[in-house]
Amino acid sequence: AAADSEEGGEESKGQAPVNNGGVCGNYRWEQSLGDVTVFVAVPKGTKAKQLNVQIGKKRLVVGVAGAPSGPLVEGELHAAVKLEDSSWSVEDNAKEDNRLVTLTLTKMNGMEWWNRLLVGDAEIDTQKVEPENSKLSDLDGETRQTVEKMMYDQRQKAAGLPTADEQNKQDMLKRFMEQHPEMDFSKAKIC
């Protein structure tokens, strides 16, 4: 019955994201616009040299070497990553009494939210991803200028004052009126 009522409304585009990522069988993942971080639990006492970690441009393998069950994570990545900027580490995880392999994968396209880590995984709803706050200094010149203008206009409107564009129009009109004193603007309708 729940599936029937869902069909009539707006269609969901996947699971709600957890830290902008998801939780899958043997791992969990989270993301920022530029990176994906993957966490894989391995048995307590596992050393880095016992791990089989392969980060490919579009492929990921994480496992304990010689494990009869095979790799814990294996598959085609949702999108390409930059190999030279991607890394992994293993550390103790006292909270769950095991060790945690942490992989940081740098996205090739740093302007895209991933809806899954591996092809075939359950998808998350990227419309519900919460982007991190960025600083004005992080933005390129043109974008920064646009954002600063929008912020200025917002403050002006809140104070009941003209926006930058409205002020420009008023200034142009004032200059025009000063340059043409012979014209009568008393009955002009100024929008």
Side-chain angles (χ1 to χ4, degrees):
D4 293 340
S5 63
E6 205 172 292
E7 284 177 32
E10 197 174 299
E11 201 175 310
S12 177
K13 294 182 174 101
Q15 303 171 355
V18 178
N19 292 328
N20 293 340
V23 178
C24 298
N26 292 325
Y27 66 91
R28 64 184 169 85
W29 64 284
E30 38 192 66
Q31 66 180 318
S32 67
L33 214 60
D35 298 306
V36 175
T37 306
V38 185
F39 303 95
V40 184
V42 294
K44 189 176 184 176
T46 304
K47 305 255 185 269
K49 64 183 176 187
Q50 296 172 296
L51 293 169
N52 173 21
V53 178
Q54 299 170 34
I55 301 172
K57 189 173 179 177
K58 283 266 305 174
R59 185 152 185 77
L60 182 65
V61 177
V62 180
V64 178
S69 58
L72 295 165
V73 178
E74 181 174 27
E76 182 184 345
L77 291 167
H78 170 75
V81 296
K82 295 179 184 175
L83 297 178
E84 64 278 3
D85 295 336
S86 298
S87 62
W88 67 274
S89 65
V90 62
E91 56 216 30
D92 290 330
N93 181 11
K95 196 163 83 174
E96 296 177 19
D97 198 32
N98 59 14
R99 299 203 82 201
L100 201 59
V101 178
T102 304
L103 300 98
T104 303
L105 310 174
T106 303
K107 296 176 183 176
M108 191 70 78
N109 177 359
M111 297 305 290
E112 171 192 28
W113 293 110
W114 289 13
N115 63 359
R116 60 190 175 195
L117 176 70
L118 300 176
V119 173
D121 281 351
E123 295 184 7
I124 64 163
D125 185 350
T126 54
Q127 298 298 312
K128 294 182 180 170
V129 163
E130 295 178 15
E132 64 273 7
N133 289 331
S134 55
K135 299 180 198 95
L136 278 176
S137 59
D138 294 342
L139 302 173
D140 66 75
E142 189 177 329
T143 305
R144 180 179 178 164
Q145 205 171 21
T146 303
V147 171
E148 286 175 338
K149 181 182 178 295
M150 289 168 58
M151 290 167 61
Y152 172 80
D153 287 348
Q154 195 173 21
R155 283 193 303 272
Q156 290 292 97
K157 276 188 177 182
L161 300 169
T163 64
D165 290 339
E166 292 166 346
Q167 186 64 50
N168 259 352
K169 288 177 188 173
Q170 288 176 3
D171 291 346
M172 280 176 34
L173 180 61
K174 187 177 175 186
R175 279 195 304 273
F176 183 80
M177 290 169 75
E178 288 169 355
Q179 291 171 356
H180 299 280
E182 73 280 2
M183 296 179 82
D184 180 17
F185 291 97
S186 61
K187 295 183 182 158
K189 208 174 196 180
I190 300 167
C191 302

